[in-house]
Amino acid sequence: MGQIRLDGIVKSYGKEVVVKNLDLTVQSGEFLTILGPSGCGKTTTLRMIAGLEEPDEGSIQLGDRMVFSRSDGVVIPPEARGLGLIFQSYALWPHMTVAKNITLALKEKKLSKTEIAARLENALDLVQLTGYAERYPSELSGGQQQRVAVARLIALRPTILLMDEPLSNLDAKLRTEMRASLKRLHRDLEATTVYVTHDQIEALTLSDRVIIMNKGEIMQEGTPFEIYHHPANIFVAEFIGDPGINLFHGTIANGALDCGDISIPLPENLVDRGGKLIAAIRPEKVLVSEAEKPGWQKVNTEILQPTGADTILQVKTGDVTLTLLQPGFITLPEGSPLWISFVPDTISYFDPETQDNLREAAV
């Protein structure tokens, strides 16, 4: 029963429509992330799948079971949908030990003591908390408390997992560790997972497929690679990527895109288009040289931000500022000249009016 299907889902709060005629199918065993800014409708969508919110229109099907249909009057409550939920809050009982927090729902399902003990041991092992069964939540770190919440899901063994910003309360190191734990959980349970976040790193590292929402609508859906390298529109291009993508507004002239102080090459199919275009290129796709090269464009270094493995460089030529991403820990004096070049196959081109991608870049 792992597949999730939403048809024609509409949800409003007063006059504000937060989800607009949403059609979505999550395949059995798939890890799908819904990504978008605050207020885009992603959490509301998850809560409707869980049964915590009722759509105004449409239907929701889990496997072969209809759990909500406005037209047929079907409303299955959350506790009867057979889902596993993890939220931003760990939702642990403070007066119960780790073991009791994990096994409470199992006891309510009237499983045997032997089965409960086996599931508890397995769950603690998978989240690397063996030996913590008798501790209380107050005796655990934030990351350990989140692992207890994950262990509770593992013990329940649901076929569908719903996760709403589960890592947002953790520091950077713990988020990295927990991403691995959640990916392992999805794999070990062979569960269908819907994950909601505003964090693009989580979306790119965890997902089989990503859906990007804005103002209640799907802007694009695809694999992490497709979303990153082939953005469907400028909203997606700007939302995905850290550091952010470079945008160049210009006019087609003499076989290139004239952006004033910088010139962007064009593919053959756009050379004769005429008019204005917006070009977009990821910071790591700009070719960079410290030595002058024929045909390359000169820029001056303004700000360097070494991150350890990479360095973010802000450079400028005339009125145009660009962001570059180069491997290694780079140190250059402010104002140092660099020479850059662009490869058409690594650039996306957008219509200024529709803001849609005019062609898929071949990366």
Side-chain angles (χ1 to χ4, degrees):
M1 64 162 287
Q3 188 187 74
I4 303 170
R5 180 170 174 175
L6 284 69
D7 290 308
I9 295 296
V10 176
K11 179 63 178 177
S12 301
Y13 296 113
K15 295 183 179 180
E16 183 183 3
V17 182
V18 294
V19 176
K20 303 174 183 177
N21 199 33
L22 178 66
D23 294 322
L24 174 62
T25 298
V26 188
Q27 299 299 336
S28 182
E30 184 178 26
F31 195 120
L32 175 86
T33 295
I34 304 177
L35 177 68
S38 297
C40 72
K42 58 187 186 294
T43 292
T44 300
T45 300
L46 188 84
R47 289 176 63 84
M48 288 190 289
I49 296 171
L52 302 174
E53 302 270 0
E54 284 190 18
D56 301 324
E57 300 176 25
S59 63
I60 300 173
Q61 191 169 331
L62 304 180
D64 57 3
R65 187 166 65 130
M66 186 69 69
V67 296
F68 179 86
S69 173
R70 177 60 67 195
S71 60
D72 296 333
V74 176
V75 182
I76 303 299
E79 65 272 15
R81 296 194 181 189
L83 305 170
L85 303 172
I86 300 180
F87 296 102
Q88 182 175 346
S89 167
Y90 313 133
L92 302 179
W93 293 103
H95 65 290
M96 291 185 180
T97 63
V98 167
K100 289 183 177 179
N101 266 286
I102 293 171
T103 60
L104 180 62
L106 303 182
K107 292 176 181 177
E108 291 178 352
K109 294 179 72 171
K110 302 190 184 305
L111 299 182
S112 69
K113 290 184 178 180
T114 302
E115 176 69 10
I116 289 174
R119 290 196 185 191
L120 173 63
E121 181 181 1
N122 174 253
L124 289 173
D125 178 59
L126 286 175
V127 299
Q128 301 174 19
L129 285 179
T130 300
Y132 287 75
E134 298 309 313
R135 294 197 186 187
Y136 289 88
S138 62
E139 299 173 316
L140 304 176
S141 68
Q144 289 169 334
Q145 290 182 46
Q146 188 62 287
R147 289 182 190 181
V148 174
V150 171
R152 184 168 53 196
L153 273 190
I154 293 173
L156 275 172
R157 298 180 183 174
T159 56
I160 294 176
L161 300 178
L162 305 180
M163 305 185 189
D164 186 11
E165 308 260 15
L167 308 184
S168 58
N169 285 338
L170 306 182
D171 62 37
K173 183 174 183 295
L174 284 174
R175 281 201 301 273
T176 300
E177 292 177 1
M178 285 305 301
R179 282 202 300 267
S181 296
L182 293 178
K183 201 158 190 174
R184 191 180 302 113
L185 169 66
H186 168 76
R187 182 196 64 201
D188 292 345
L189 293 182
E190 298 181 345
T192 305
T193 302
V194 179
Y195 190 98
V196 162
T197 184
H198 65 276
D199 187 320
Q200 58 179 291
I201 301 301
E202 291 177 13
L204 294 174
T205 56
L206 288 170
S207 314
D208 297 317
R209 186 160 55 106
V210 178
I211 284 180
I212 297 183
M213 291 185 69
N214 186 40
K215 298 180 180 178
E217 298 181 286
I218 294 176
M219 296 287 101
Q220 186 175 358
E221 61 179 284
T223 65
F225 184 93
E226 290 166 345
I227 292 287
Y228 186 80
H229 292 290
H230 310 301
N233 50 55
I234 289 178
F235 176 85
V236 175
E238 290 191 294
F239 192 80
I240 290 288
D242 184 19
I245 200 165
N246 294 293
L247 295 181
F248 305 97
H249 296 253
T251 303
I252 297 174
N254 301 317
L257 187 65
D258 182 359
C259 303
D261 294 298
I262 207 158
S263 179
I264 307 294
L266 291 172
E268 289 184 7
N269 64 315
L270 294 178
V271 168
D272 297 326
R273 175 186 170 90
K276 296 183 181 298
L277 275 185
I278 300 173
I281 183 167
R282 298 286 177 196
E284 70 275 12
K285 295 299 184 181
V286 181
L287 303 179
V288 181
S289 172
E290 292 187 41
E292 185 174 359
K293 291 190 175 184
W296 287 39
Q297 302 177 65
K298 181 182 178 183
V299 295
N300 293 309
T301 307
E302 285 207 316
I303 299 173
L304 279 78
Q305 301 176 69
T307 64
D310 303 299
T311 299
I312 303 168
L313 301 95
Q314 282 191 338
V315 300
K316 192 170 184 178
T317 175
D319 292 329
V320 178
T321 300
L322 300 83
T323 301
L324 314 177
L325 182 66
Q326 291 292 293
F329 197 106
I330 298 173
T331 56
L332 286 173
E334 183 178 321
S336 296
L338 293 172
W339 283 264
I340 62 171
S341 181
F342 306 101
V343 179
D345 283 347
T346 66
I347 304 173
S348 295
Y349 304 89
F350 299 91
D351 186 303
E353 297 296 326
T354 66
Q355 301 210 334
D356 290 334
N357 198 335
L358 293 172
R359 63 156 208 145
E360 287 193 348
V363 179

